[in-house]
Amino acid sequence: MTLKLTIPEMAAYLDEVFPQVAGMFGIDAMDEDLLVMRLHANESHLRPGGTVSGPAMFSLADVAAYVATMARIGREALTVTTHCSIDFMRKPEAERDVIAHARVLKIGRSLSVTDVLLFSEGSNAPVAHASLTYAIPPRKSA
């Protein structure tokens, strides 16, 4: 499936529809098979014990699934999360960004299912795994 948005277009779209998280995430790579996105981790994302918090990692997984879906369907701001399951497997490094590898497993007219693995930057061992489903709003007839 050909992508409908480029990385610069997607970054601008995220800033437009979610200004509250502007600068929090970056898109490293995006093609038909894989989206690589990062959480620019800083002190606001840490929890006691010196690790990136679960809510911060959930946010990255959720935004990565949203971006992977938008790249395929185009600008549909009302596409919403309908399901998320996340397993936290190990502590991410506090001083490193968290990297998401998102793969769209299925996309249809009304649902998108995405698999996301999260890594501490520079590590090959995943820190979390998430499965997300997004509801796609009905297309308007012309």
Side-chain angles (χ1 to χ4, degrees):
M1 169 180 274
T2 303
L3 298 183
K4 299 199 177 186
L5 297 167
T6 65
I7 291 174
E9 290 169 336
M10 183 63 72
Y13 177 66
L14 284 178
D15 287 346
E16 174 189 327
V17 296
F18 296 112
Q20 66 272 28
V21 297
M24 187 187 306
F25 304 103
I27 302 170
D28 292 358
M30 185 171 71
D31 63 28
E32 292 80 12
D33 298 319
L34 179 68
L35 167 75
V36 179
M37 205 167 176
R38 71 178 51 236
L39 166 69
H40 299 293
N42 61 46
E43 277 197 35
S44 70
H45 302 115
L46 301 183
R47 67 173 307 279
T51 186
V52 176
S53 71
M57 289 190 286
F58 172 88
S59 294
L60 174 60
D62 193 34
V63 171
Y66 182 82
V67 167
T69 300
M70 292 298 102
R72 285 154 181 78
I73 67 170
R75 297 168 56 103
E76 290 285 347
L78 296 180
T79 299
V80 296
T81 310
T82 59
H83 169 79
C84 178
S85 174
I86 189 165
D87 295 303
F88 300 103
M89 299 184 288
R90 56 184 53 84
K91 286 173 47 170
E93 301 291 329
E95 62 277 353
R96 295 189 180 149
D97 286 354
V98 180
I99 309 297
H101 288 193
R103 288 180 172 79
V104 174
L105 302 178
K106 181 186 184 302
I107 194 155
R109 286 189 316 255
S110 61
L111 294 176
S112 171
V113 179
T114 304
D115 184 74
V116 182
L117 282 173
L118 302 179
F119 302 86
S120 283
E121 186 172 33
S123 174
N124 291 327
V127 296
H129 170 256
S131 174
L132 295 101
T133 302
Y134 266 81
I136 302 167
R139 307 276 162 123
K140 296 180 180 101
S141 299

